Amino acid sequence: MFSFFRKKPPATTEATTPAPLIAPPPAAAPTQPSPAAAPAPEPPAAPAPALPPESVAAAEAPRKGWLDKLKAGLLKTGSSITTVFTGTRIDDTLYEELETALLMADTGVKATEHLLADLKRRVKESKTTDPAAVKGLLAQAITALLEPLQKPLVIGEHKPTVIMVAGVNGAGKTTSIGKLTRHLANEGATVLLAAADTFRAAAREQLAVWADRNTVDIITQEGGDPAAVSFDAVTAGRARGRDVVLVDTAGRLPTQLHLMEELKKIKRTIQKAGATEERGTAGPPQSAAAGSVVALPPHEVLLVIDGNTGQNALAQVKAFDDTLGLTGLIITKLDGTAKGGVICAIARERPVPIYFIGVGEKLEDLETFDAREFAQALLA
């Protein structure tokens, strides 16, 4: 239903275009007519006219600007890896140096072992003898490892789509919510914010600023219970016909067990709010059209992690996933970090989809995650 940041141009050229940031819900499969009633096949439609070169260039320019920022942001992570390929021979020394470089980039032992094995296989199959060409093969191996994490965020399958956002203090959680709100609003989606981070007054104020900038409603209570705020927001979002309800939760460390329990309570309360709205009686909510069970909110549970934290980011993903059942990640602050390889560790050890990555504080510095782009930017 919605795709923001920029709309995807018509597919009239062979050049690939990254998936939109927000994907529409999948369309229902068309009903197949019986063989006796099947109409005669129609002649193939004429191909659409190609876009003029200047239109294609205009459509691709914003993404190219993003790629330039991504390359600059991953420079510290990738520089130590790329220097490995400046030699003249492909031997054990090269692989040992590459192993060290990957570990220093916080790729992790399991992901490093996987990448080295995959790289050696690719070198053998391609009969490559040039170390510089091995860098391209490594980019292919990293792309293959990360591709399962590449998934668009679907908006429109539920109304409202309830998104619960968690993360530790300082990861950029509230700012990321603000950026998502801005882009959703720019594309015409109606958004309601829930300031369920009642532990930190500045969080409510910060979210209120984003709500004011984007002219969206916000549900907040000074000193209120986070679960109660979340319940009110889901109820209000449905009553007001909002497309999206974004629930901001308090920043916490995975070791703060009492606060992690609070997150569980917020999720349970959101589910109760959805069940109450759907049925009003006992039992799971049913779809009036098909009699199928309706998915209870939150429909997405996102974790915002700071790319600078390296292997600690992987520990956060595991802890929050065990507690909440994560559906996606937002990885921020990849600009200037030497630990960007942690994305490979996540892919190998806890493959939660990465919806967005960020390389700065500006609105346009948050973009969809693309495995091939990331690998190429890392080894640029």
Side-chain angles (χ1 to χ4, degrees):
M1 184 176 295
F2 302 107
S3 63
F4 56 85
F5 273 138
R6 58 191 59 87
K7 290 186 180 296
K8 184 177 181 180
T12 56
T13 67
E14 295 184 359
T16 58
T17 304
L21 185 66
I22 294 296
T31 304
Q32 297 294 333
S34 62
E42 297 182 0
L51 286 176
E54 58 272 17
S55 298
V56 175
E60 294 178 351
R63 195 73 186 185
K64 184 180 183 302
W66 159 253
L67 290 176
D68 291 340
K69 290 181 180 179
L70 185 59
K71 289 177 182 178
L74 293 174
L75 185 61
K76 286 186 179 180
T77 299
S79 59
S80 60
I81 299 175
T82 56
T83 55
V84 172
F85 304 104
T86 57
T88 58
R89 297 178 59 185
I90 302 175
D91 52 17
D92 290 341
T93 300
L94 183 147
Y95 289 120
E96 289 173 3
E97 292 178 354
L98 179 58
E99 179 180 19
T100 300
L102 289 171
L103 291 173
M104 291 296 292
D106 268 22
T107 303
V109 174
K110 293 182 180 179
T112 297
E113 291 176 347
H114 171 82
L115 288 173
L116 287 175
D118 191 15
L119 178 61
K120 290 177 181 179
R121 177 186 62 81
R122 292 173 186 271
V123 170
K124 182 178 180 180
E125 291 178 354
S126 63
K127 296 181 172 59
T128 299
T129 58
D130 181 10
V134 178
K135 185 172 73 169
L137 296 177
L138 177 60
Q140 294 176 17
I142 293 176
T143 299
L145 175 62
L146 298 181
E147 275 180 342
L149 305 188
Q150 185 178 316
K151 178 183 175 183
L153 174 63
V154 175
I155 296 294
E157 219 168 34
H158 311 279
K159 187 166 183 177
T161 298
V162 181
I163 303 175
M164 179 178 173
V165 187
V168 304
N169 285 322
K173 175 174 51 65
T174 304
T175 300
S176 296
I177 291 175
K179 290 178 180 180
L180 293 180
T181 302
R182 174 68 175 275
H183 292 297
L184 279 167
N186 285 347
E187 286 297 322
T190 53
V191 182
L192 178 67
L193 299 179
D197 183 357
T198 60
F199 292 101
R200 185 170 64 95
R204 298 194 304 274
E205 295 171 358
Q206 185 181 2
L207 200 63
V209 169
W210 280 106
D212 184 59
R213 288 177 182 174
N214 302 317
T215 321
V216 300
D217 293 339
I218 182 171
I219 302 297
T220 181
Q221 298 176 10
E222 184 175 354
D225 178 69
V229 174
S230 303
F231 185 96
D232 290 346
V234 175
T235 304
R238 184 178 296 276
R240 301 177 191 181
R242 297 296 187 261
D243 297 308
V244 181
V245 174
L246 278 167
V247 181
D248 185 17
T249 63
R252 63 205 66 210
L253 294 173
T255 53
Q256 296 172 309
L257 299 181
H258 64 294
L259 292 180
M260 295 296 279
E261 287 298 320
E262 183 70 34
L263 278 181
K264 290 182 181 179
K265 179 182 176 183
I266 292 173
K267 184 178 180 180
R268 290 195 303 268
T269 303
I270 290 174
Q271 290 173 337
K272 290 179 181 178
T276 300
E277 292 292 336
E278 287 288 349
R279 52 181 167 83
T281 57
Q286 302 290 320
S287 168
S292 59
V293 176
V294 177
L296 290 175
H299 307 105
E300 297 284 350
V301 181
L302 307 185
L303 177 67
V304 180
I305 55 179
D306 183 344
N308 284 293
T309 57
Q311 285 294 302
N312 190 38
L314 175 61
Q316 292 174 26
V317 172
K318 291 179 177 179
F320 280 91
D321 190 29
D322 290 341
T323 300
L324 296 173
L326 299 175
T327 62
L329 304 176
I330 301 176
I331 301 181
T332 65
K333 306 180 184 181
L334 284 172
D335 50 312
T337 180
K339 302 179 179 181
V342 69
I343 290 182
C344 296
I346 292 171
R348 190 62 181 168
E349 300 186 45
R350 190 60 67 98
V352 177
I354 300 175
Y355 288 146
F356 318 113
I357 57 176
V359 292
E361 294 297 325
K362 296 181 180 178
L363 184 65
E364 61 272 17
D365 293 339
L366 186 72
E367 258 289 5
T368 46
F369 173 71
D370 183 283
R372 184 179 59 84
E373 288 180 353
F374 182 88
Q376 292 180 345
L378 182 66
L379 300 177

